[in-house]
Amino acid sequence: TKGIHHYENFLKSGEKSASYTRFGSIVDSFVKASGYYDFFIINADGIVVHSQAMEADYKTNLVTGPYKDSGLARAYQKATKGQTTFIDFSPYAPSNDEPAAFLAAPIISNGQQIGVVALQVSMEKIQAVMGDRTGLGETGEAYLVGSDKLMRSDSFLNPKDYSVQASFKNNNNEEVCSPFFSNRALCSGCL
């Protein structure tokens, strides 16, 4: 909880204190070890006071700014209500409109909420897990599909047409389930 104040002070002064550098090193190690795409600290006013990736969302206000309708802003809003939350994949402008999902939780100090910590889920990590072909033979595959019937992992058999990027780019719900996937039961229980 002390870290948020160091990040806010850095935004105001532009000076990196020893504590700011120490917290930054801890966060950097965590992001590298866990494989998340980005790590955010958002203050109680909705300002992104820290972003490990430092994309266009850094220093913006998630309540009134250009990303107020983004997945990160939705995660922030839920976390400000005391909820640890997951926001499913949707195009995220600061990350070149690539699909992004977010985890967020409130930051509590002395019983009071002082901000939100959020993580942007890495597609590479999901692809690595789903890319394991053990036991699938030459024609078997496993893939993830969201409740919106859009891909959450790439198809091994046809990654050009059935990938996360192609799915969100086309945003054609029926396209994911047919004609490539002939078993409609696979799509009736989308995640």
Side-chain angles (χ1 to χ4, degrees):
T1 60
K2 294 178 183 178
I4 192 169
H5 301 298
H6 295 288
Y7 290 117
E8 288 177 318
N9 289 338
F10 172 72
L11 281 184
K12 291 175 188 170
S13 70
E15 295 180 27
K16 293 182 180 181
S17 67
S19 294
Y20 174 92
T21 303
R22 184 170 58 87
F23 285 117
S25 177
I26 292 167
V27 168
D28 191 48
S29 295
F30 169 76
V31 170
K32 286 179 182 171
S34 63
Y36 286 101
Y37 179 82
D38 203 351
F39 179 99
F40 304 91
I41 296 177
I42 307 153
N43 72 13
D45 296 323
I47 298 170
V48 179
V49 297
H50 178 75
S51 165
Q52 199 68 13
M54 298 188 95
E55 294 179 324
D57 47 15
Y58 179 51
K59 299 182 183 179
T60 64
N61 189 307
L62 296 177
V63 177
T64 61
Y67 307 114
K68 67 183 179 196
D69 296 320
S70 68
L72 179 59
R74 289 192 305 278
Y76 168 78
Q77 291 295 336
K78 284 190 174 187
T80 60
K81 295 176 181 147
Q83 301 174 18
T84 298
T85 189
F86 172 78
I87 299 297
D88 199 2
F89 287 90
S90 63
Y92 187 59
S95 297
N96 297 317
D97 275 329
E98 296 289 328
F102 298 93
L103 298 165
I107 300 171
I108 309 290
S109 178
N110 298 322
Q112 222 173 344
Q113 186 167 335
I114 60 171
V116 169
V117 61
L119 297 164
Q120 185 173 342
V121 178
S122 168
M123 284 304 303
E124 285 82 29
K125 276 293 223 195
I126 292 173
Q127 290 299 93
V129 170
M130 296 307 296
D132 182 0
R133 307 251 328 122
T134 305
L136 296 176
E138 290 182 33
T139 60
E141 75 173 331
Y143 51 87
L144 299 174
V145 178
S147 60
D148 55 6
K149 299 182 183 176
L150 299 178
M151 302 292 284
R152 298 300 192 269
S153 64
D154 295 344
S155 164
F156 172 76
L157 299 175
N158 187 353
K160 179 179 177 258
D161 296 323
Y162 297 95
S163 69
V164 176
Q165 286 192 357
S167 183
F168 278 89
K169 181 180 176 186
N170 296 334
N171 200 4
N172 182 346
N173 296 347
E174 290 302 312
E175 196 68 31
V176 173
C177 294
S178 69
F180 185 64
F181 302 112
S182 59
N183 185 348
R184 298 293 292 171
L186 293 174
C187 295
S188 65
C190 293
L191 299 174

